[in-house]
């Protein structure tokens, strides 16, 4: 029985190889089924592409397709161009934040090359080769489209051959014509080395930046190069002082320098939106198509303040700082359990509402890089202590501009704590495709009248819930807010209903 199984397996493998050879061989009257072992070395890159592995093992004639074909460039004299790969679904470009290597550095496979940031997350680009950095083509701050070259590496002959074989799309792996010479990859307009200010100057004079010859390192184009080109082509008549430093009179004292600095403060400046800021633009454009309505309520927070103080007194971990937000997050999750429609997403194309089983509560955070909304996953299953730690982790990553895609994607409802900046009231816009967002105002002491006419101080927080009126109506939100408010005003109810 075991012998028959082995025979059948052997026949299946032989048949499969014959079929593959037939499919990939050029049309002819004779079907060649013989597979000849190849002596070409197999690099570590073969683990990324099964077609490459088959091609090198059996020297199959014909075309093959690599998943990285559009992103890899052909090796020329042992030099391989490293492009910006697809870092995530729907991402077309990234901003280069910093380099981990310099020209002349030796790099190994999987070593970090640079760090880039898309409108969704920060990602590190690693090397797929062992080699030496020949040329760095980008500088931090550049916006790079997917597929554009980041840097060039000099690799050994075997690695270069493997990279060329793997990256060629529709190439004949058996082509050994001695007259055939690989052509160097032509640079695209998007690969011109210059700063945004230089591009702006060229645009101002209607100059195609790719027509200008750069005199800087690696052909980098400077303002002087653009102005020289404009002068030679007759675009400008007078030779700017920038091209004739001798004509510029030096400033003689600190008063002149202060005057120059003061003047620069009132000059127009162009700021390019980056990464998270671009994401916010897209999100707000999407939110403008959603019919919003707002529900405002005042919540008493005296018991919440006492609970926070009790937590802090019993805190023995110096790395943990208790705030109001973790209790508000947990109480929000408790209210969402009985009002799942508020914790949903809407698909306009299919007119479908998805009631989310997990409470992935997003927290809007203002960072030096712009507004970002990471979310705490599965709040319904977390304790207040775990939520506190998770919130602290996300805040640290956000401020360091290190949030991974997993912490940003998948949110189901958002909290915006404008009270942390002193705001009493806010009108937030929905984070599409979610159907609700909540703005939390500042907790403040106000005078409150009792039923008997007495006046006493109360800590009040204003809550503004913005809802998608296509899915939710006033009654839905009012009932939901009433239950959430009860959990905040009487935190002991959390213990009563918490599972």
């Amino acid at each position: 029985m075991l012998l028959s199984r082995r025979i059948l397996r052997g026949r299946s493998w032989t048949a499969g190889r014959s079929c593959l050879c037939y499919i990939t061989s050029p049309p002819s009257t004779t079907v060649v089924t013989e597979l000849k072992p190849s002596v070409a070395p197999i690099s570590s890159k073969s683990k990324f592409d099964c077609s490459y592995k088959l091609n090198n093992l059996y020297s199959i004639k014909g075309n093959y397709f690599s998943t990285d074909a559009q992103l890899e460039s052909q090796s020329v004299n042992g030099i391989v161009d490293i492009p910006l790969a697809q870092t995530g679904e729907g991402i077309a470009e990234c901003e280069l934040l910093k380099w981990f290597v310099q020209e002349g550095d030796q790099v190994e496979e999987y070593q970090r090359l640079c760090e880039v940031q898309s409108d969704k997350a920060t990602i590190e680009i690693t090397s797929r080769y062992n080699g030496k950095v020949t040329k760095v083509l980008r500088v931090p701050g550049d916006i790079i489209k997917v597929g554009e070259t980041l840097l060039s590496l000099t690799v050994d002959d075997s690695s270069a051959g493997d990279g060329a074989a793997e990256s060629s799309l529709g190439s004949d792996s058996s082509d050994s014509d001695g007259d055939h010479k690989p052509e160097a990859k032509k640079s695209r307009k998007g690969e011109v080395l210059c700063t945004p200010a230089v591009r702006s100057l060229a645009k101002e004079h209607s100059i195609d930046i790719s027509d200008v010859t750069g005199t800087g390192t690696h052909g980098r184009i400077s303002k002087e190069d653009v102005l020289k080109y404009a002068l030679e082509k007759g675009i400008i008549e007078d030779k700017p002082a920038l091209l004739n430093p001798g004509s510029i009179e030096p400033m003689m004292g600190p008063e002149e320098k202060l005057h120059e600095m003061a003047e620069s403060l009132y000059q127009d400046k162009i700021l390019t939106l980056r990464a998270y800021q671009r994401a916010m633009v897209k999100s707000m454009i999407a939110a403008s198509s959603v019919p919003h309505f707002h529900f405002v309520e005042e919540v008493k927070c005296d018991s919440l303040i006492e609970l926070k103080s009790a937590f802090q007194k019993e805190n023995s971990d110096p790395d943990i700082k208790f705030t109001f937000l973790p209790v508000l997050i947990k109480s929000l999750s408790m209210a969402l359990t009985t009002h799942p429609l508020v914790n949903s997403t809407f698909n306009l194309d299919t007119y479908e509402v998805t009631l989310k089983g997990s409470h992935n509560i997003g927290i809007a955070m203002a960072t030096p890089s712009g507004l970002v909304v990471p979310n705490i996953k599965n709040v319904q299953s977390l304790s207040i202590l775990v939520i506190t730690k998770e919130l602290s982790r996300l805040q640290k990553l956000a401020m360091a501009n290190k949030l991974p895609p997993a912490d940003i994607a998948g949110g189901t409802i958002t909290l915006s704590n404008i009270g942390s900046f002193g705001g009493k009231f806010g009108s937030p816009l929905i984070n599409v495709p979610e159907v609700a967002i909540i703005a939390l105002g500042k907790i403040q002491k106000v005078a409150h009248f009792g039923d008997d006419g007495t006046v006493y101080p109360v800590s009040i927080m204003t809550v503004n819930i913005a809802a998608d009126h296509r899915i939710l109506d006033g009654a839905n939100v009012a009932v939901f807010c009433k239950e959430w408010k009860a959990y905040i005003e009487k935190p002991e109810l959390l213990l009563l209903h918490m599972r």
Side-chain angles (χ1 to χ4, degrees):
M1 189 68 175
L2 292 175
L3 181 61
S4 62
R5 287 182 180 177
R6 291 181 180 178
I7 294 174
L8 288 174
R9 287 177 181 174
R11 290 179 178 176
S12 299
W13 169 238
T14 304
R17 292 191 297 176
S18 300
C19 179
L20 178 61
C21 185
Y22 174 77
I23 292 173
T24 56
S25 61
S28 65
T29 57
T30 303
V31 178
V32 180
T33 59
E34 181 181 3
L35 301 178
K36 299 180 179 179
S38 172
V39 296
I42 302 173
S43 75
S44 57
K45 291 199 64 181
S46 62
K47 65 174 73 71
F48 294 99
D49 194 349
C50 293
S51 62
Y52 169 79
K53 190 177 295 185
L54 287 172
N55 195 47
N56 279 274
L57 286 174
Y58 296 106
S59 299
I60 302 172
K61 291 186 177 181
N63 300 334
Y64 72 92
F65 295 88
S66 169
T67 56
D68 295 317
Q70 295 179 352
L71 298 181
E72 295 287 343
S73 61
Q74 193 171 11
S75 171
V76 179
N77 298 326
I79 297 179
V80 177
D81 290 338
I82 305 300
L84 174 64
Q86 185 71 46
T87 58
E89 184 179 356
I91 296 177
E93 61 186 16
C94 293
E95 177 187 357
L96 176 61
L97 297 182
K98 62 180 178 181
W99 285 104
F100 297 115
V101 296
Q102 299 177 357
E103 291 184 1
D105 289 354
Q106 291 288 339
V107 298
E108 299 178 354
E109 190 177 9
Y110 304 119
Q111 180 178 335
R112 297 185 306 170
L113 297 177
C114 63
E115 185 177 68
V116 299
Q117 184 180 57
S118 68
D119 56 2
K120 297 181 179 180
T122 301
I123 306 105
E124 291 182 350
I125 304 299
T126 57
S127 175
R128 295 181 60 188
Y129 301 89
N130 296 320
K132 182 179 180 181
V133 179
T134 304
K135 185 180 295 185
V136 174
L137 301 176
R138 301 290 180 172
V139 296
D142 284 355
I143 301 297
I144 307 168
K145 296 186 181 299
V146 171
E148 291 185 347
T149 303
L150 291 167
L151 77 165
S152 298
L153 290 179
T154 300
V155 298
D156 55 37
D157 294 339
S158 60
S159 297
D162 296 341
E166 181 179 5
S167 62
S168 57
L169 175 61
S171 63
D172 191 347
S173 62
S174 64
D175 185 7
S176 57
D177 186 1
D179 297 332
H180 176 70
K181 296 182 180 180
E183 296 182 356
K185 181 181 177 181
K186 296 182 180 179
S187 60
R188 296 183 291 269
K189 290 185 179 181
E191 295 180 350
V192 174
L193 288 177
C194 64
T195 63
V198 173
R199 291 183 184 274
S200 178
L201 179 64
K203 185 177 181 181
E204 179 183 346
H205 295 289
S206 301
I207 297 174
D208 187 348
I209 193 67
S210 62
D211 294 337
V212 180
T213 301
T215 58
T217 306
H218 306 306
R220 182 177 298 279
I221 300 174
S222 64
K223 289 184 178 180
E224 291 86 347
D225 296 330
V226 174
L227 293 174
K228 284 182 180 179
Y229 179 86
L231 187 64
E232 293 172 357
K233 298 296 182 180
I235 299 175
I236 56 177
E237 297 179 358
D238 297 330
K239 189 174 183 179
L242 182 62
L243 300 181
N244 187 11
S247 65
I248 303 177
E249 296 182 2
M251 294 188 177
M252 300 302 296
E255 293 183 1
E256 290 83 356
K257 293 181 180 180
L258 290 174
H259 179 70
E260 182 185 15
M261 292 173 61
E263 286 186 347
S264 65
L265 294 175
Y266 301 102
Q267 293 179 353
D268 294 344
K269 296 180 177 63
I270 297 176
L271 300 178
T272 303
L273 296 183
R274 307 287 189 183
Y276 294 149
Q277 296 170 325
R278 293 190 175 200
M280 185 174 65
V281 171
K282 296 176 183 178
S283 178
M284 293 302 99
I285 292 175
S288 65
S289 64
V290 176
H292 287 62
F293 78 91
H294 293 267
F295 182 88
V296 181
E297 181 61 288
E298 291 184 343
V299 181
K300 297 178 182 179
C301 296
D302 296 279
S303 297
L304 183 62
I305 293 174
E306 293 177 4
L307 185 63
K308 174 200 167 186
S309 300
F311 284 163
Q312 197 60 42
K313 288 179 181 179
E314 298 297 327
N315 181 23
S316 59
D317 190 344
D319 295 331
I320 297 178
K321 181 181 178 181
F322 285 99
T323 64
F324 301 114
L325 199 51
V327 180
L328 294 172
I329 292 172
K330 185 61 182 180
S331 59
L332 174 62
S333 175
M334 295 290 290
L336 291 175
T337 302
T338 53
H339 297 83
L341 194 60
V342 183
N343 189 63
S344 65
T345 58
F346 177 57
N347 188 332
L348 180 61
D349 296 332
T350 59
Y351 280 79
E352 291 179 347
V353 178
T354 303
L355 304 180
K356 294 294 185 177
S358 298
H359 300 166
N360 300 340
I361 300 179
I363 311 298
M365 298 180 182
T367 73
S369 301
L371 179 67
V372 62
V373 188
N375 60 83
I376 302 175
K377 301 288 194 299
N378 301 310
V379 175
Q380 75 279 0
S381 303
L382 304 180
S383 66
I384 294 176
L385 179 59
V386 174
I387 294 172
T388 303
K389 294 179 179 179
E390 184 68 4
L391 182 60
S392 176
R393 181 187 71 85
L394 293 176
Q395 288 172 335
K396 290 178 181 178
L397 288 175
M399 297 307 294
N401 203 16
K402 297 287 187 180
L403 282 169
D407 285 332
I408 298 177
T412 58
I413 190 170
T414 300
L415 284 177
S416 178
N417 186 18
I418 63 169
S420 60
F421 298 98
K424 299 179 181 179
F425 179 88
S427 298
L429 295 177
I430 292 171
N431 189 17
V432 178
E434 299 169 12
V435 299
I437 183 173
I438 303 171
L440 306 173
K442 178 182 178 181
I443 298 177
Q444 56 183 340
K445 286 280 188 180
V446 298
H448 189 79
F449 287 91
D451 295 336
D452 57 356
T454 58
V455 180
Y456 57 93
V458 177
S459 298
I460 293 292
M461 176 180 64
T462 302
V463 172
N464 186 351
I465 303 176
D468 187 340
H469 215 332
R470 298 171 300 181
I471 310 302
L472 300 170
D473 54 39
N476 298 138
V477 177
V479 175
F480 157 75
C481 187
K482 181 180 179 181
E483 185 171 338
W484 184 36
K485 176 181 177 180
Y487 286 128
I488 300 173
E489 294 183 344
K490 298 179 180 180
E492 61 270 17
L493 293 177
L494 290 175
L495 298 176
L496 187 63
H497 296 279
M498 193 178 298
R499 295 184 239 177

